[in-house]
Amino acid sequence: MPVGSLMRPAPLIEVGSSLEVAAHSLRESGASILVVVDENRLVGGVTEATLALALADGAEMTDPVERGMDIVPSIAPYSTGAEALRVSVEDRAASLVVIDDLGRVMGLISPSDLYPKFRRPLRPYAVGGMATPFGVYLTTGYIGAGVSKWALYATGVLMFWLIAIALVSGVQLDKYLLSLHLPPEWVDPASWAFSALVFVLLLRINPLTGYHGAEHQVVHAIERGEELDPKIVARMPRVHPRCGTNLAVSAGLFLGIFMTRGWAPDEIRLLVAVLLTMGLRKPLGAFAQQYGTTKRPSPKQLAAGIRSGKQLLEAYASTRNSAPNFAQRMLSSGMLHVMAGSLSMAGLVYVLGLIFHVDTI
């Protein structure tokens, strides 16, 4: 494309103007160069570097702008972007002045103007989400996009069985350690830690963590205003400060410290648990996300997350914005659907226990 269709307006100053006015104009415009003109014809340019040289040379602020001016590279409006890039690199110029064949200034062209421009869709201030075994669910608090509510229900079912297997494993370890006549106050924390380890290992071997990583990367891209391009989204971090993992880690750390009896009175354990949880919740939450509850998504999982993100942005752009109340946020968050999945499994296990006379509590 010709640079005339890519250029931006140029801040101008007439010859004979003072350095004080030039410095003020350069500061206010935020441009990389202030173009000096004589009846709109290019004379030179003032930059921060040329102003610094003028000041170091003893120039007064009342001196004419020519004291802080230098020759600047220019280019014709019909030149191509490739030519503009070549001149910028050869002259190490942050901006080129676009002039017509009569030397009249038309605008500025900078390397950032040569990048392809895309239409940025409206962006919500904050995005929440949830990973499911079948893809990614995203929400603004009142708009949901991505996988269906049944996928969220399936997440609750899956989480119930992962937690159940982990807890049963911990109970079995608890019984084994007690059979060795170990102190009960140390057996319980060890069993809980083993249950947590089993739970994390089960998470790592199913697709949920990959979709969880994709969800976080897409949310980061949306909140940073990035285009939902696979190359860009793949560079986004998998750790997000609003992830529910942080809350789970904080609760686990607090209970683990407070429930470990024998090393201090209840009041001291409570104080230590609060202080350590407040101090370690962020780094431990980030560690748990990076190495536990998320993993690098596969191309298929990343594509699913991007699809959900684009659906959310399209719906957000065409929906009247509103401030959701608590009930709307809860319904849109997907938590109720996940809880329904887990509770239905708990009810099923309880009923089966009654039928076959097995204690499931």
Side-chain angles (χ1 to χ4, degrees):
M1 295 182 65
V3 297
S5 63
L6 301 173
M7 65 184 181
R8 66 182 72 177
L12 306 177
I13 188 170
E14 290 285 341
V15 293
S17 301
S18 67
L19 283 175
E20 181 179 13
V21 171
H24 174 77
S25 299
L26 191 63
R27 185 169 58 246
E28 291 298 311
S29 68
S32 60
I33 185 172
L34 181 65
V35 182
V36 183
V37 295
D38 183 8
E39 295 184 354
N40 205 40
R41 285 177 170 79
L42 176 64
V43 177
V46 178
T47 65
E48 297 289 354
T50 61
L51 279 180
L53 290 174
L55 288 172
D57 195 40
E60 299 289 340
M61 294 305 292
T62 54
D63 288 347
V65 68
E66 290 88 332
R67 282 290 304 270
M69 184 184 73
D70 198 1
I71 299 173
V72 293
S74 61
I75 194 167
Y78 45 78
S79 301
T80 65
E83 290 179 80
L85 181 61
R86 178 182 57 78
V87 174
S88 295
V89 172
E90 290 178 353
D91 293 353
R92 297 181 179 276
S95 297
L96 305 178
V97 182
V98 182
I99 60 173
D100 63 14
D101 292 335
L102 298 178
R104 293 174 298 194
V105 175
M106 300 182 66
L108 289 177
I109 187 76
S110 300
S112 61
D113 298 316
L114 304 177
Y115 278 84
K117 299 174 178 61
F118 62 92
R119 182 180 62 84
R120 290 182 178 272
L122 293 174
R123 304 275 169 150
Y125 291 106
V127 178
M130 192 170 294
T132 78
F134 307 107
V136 174
Y137 174 77
L138 297 174
T139 177
T140 64
Y142 60 95
I143 299 173
V147 295
S148 69
K149 298 298 191 292
W150 285 108
L152 295 171
Y153 177 87
T155 301
V157 173
L158 175 62
M159 294 300 291
F160 172 84
W161 288 112
L162 294 182
I163 293 172
I165 294 171
L167 290 177
V168 169
S169 301
V171 170
Q172 295 304 313
L173 178 65
D174 189 276
K175 292 178 179 179
Y176 174 72
L177 293 179
L178 288 176
S179 69
L180 299 178
H181 305 291
L182 296 176
E185 60 270 18
W186 295 104
V187 169
D188 288 343
S191 301
W192 279 107
F194 181 72
S195 294
L197 177 61
V198 171
F199 177 72
V200 171
L201 291 176
L202 291 174
L203 272 180
R204 302 295 291 181
I205 62 175
N206 73 73
L208 197 64
T209 44
Y211 283 120
H212 195 189
E215 174 220 329
H216 283 189
Q217 290 179 313
V218 170
V219 169
H220 273 298
I222 292 174
E223 293 180 342
R224 294 182 183 187
E226 293 283 3
E227 186 177 7
L228 294 183
D229 180 274
K231 293 181 180 179
I232 297 176
V233 177
R235 297 198 302 265
M236 296 293 107
R238 300 200 318 269
V239 175
H240 198 282
R242 296 196 305 273
C243 179
T245 301
N246 297 340
L247 181 61
V249 168
S250 298
L253 178 63
F254 175 83
L255 292 175
I257 296 172
F258 181 67
M259 298 301 291
T260 304
R261 304 180 183 277
W263 60 274
D266 290 352
E267 295 80 5
I268 300 298
R269 294 202 318 277
L270 177 61
L271 178 62
V272 172
V274 170
L275 293 177
L276 287 180
T277 301
M278 292 296 294
L280 298 177
R281 70 186 190 282
K282 289 184 178 180
L284 285 182
F287 181 86
Q289 289 183 58
Q290 186 72 27
Y291 301 104
T293 61
T294 75
K295 63 184 177 185
R296 187 180 301 278
S298 66
K300 177 183 175 182
Q301 292 169 334
L302 191 66
I306 291 174
R307 235 178 359 257
S308 298
K310 290 181 177 179
Q311 291 175 11
L312 184 74
L313 293 180
E314 290 175 4
Y316 182 78
S318 60
T319 303
R320 180 177 296 179
N321 296 336
S322 62
N325 55 39
F326 177 77
Q328 289 174 319
R329 287 198 301 269
M330 284 298 298
L331 187 62
S332 180
S333 70
M335 285 300 302
L336 295 179
H337 303 83
V338 174
M339 292 171 60
S342 295
L343 291 175
S344 64
M345 289 299 100
L348 175 64
V349 170
Y350 179 74
V351 170
L352 291 176
L354 293 178
I355 295 174
F356 295 102
H357 307 287
V358 177
D359 185 8
T360 58
I361 300 179

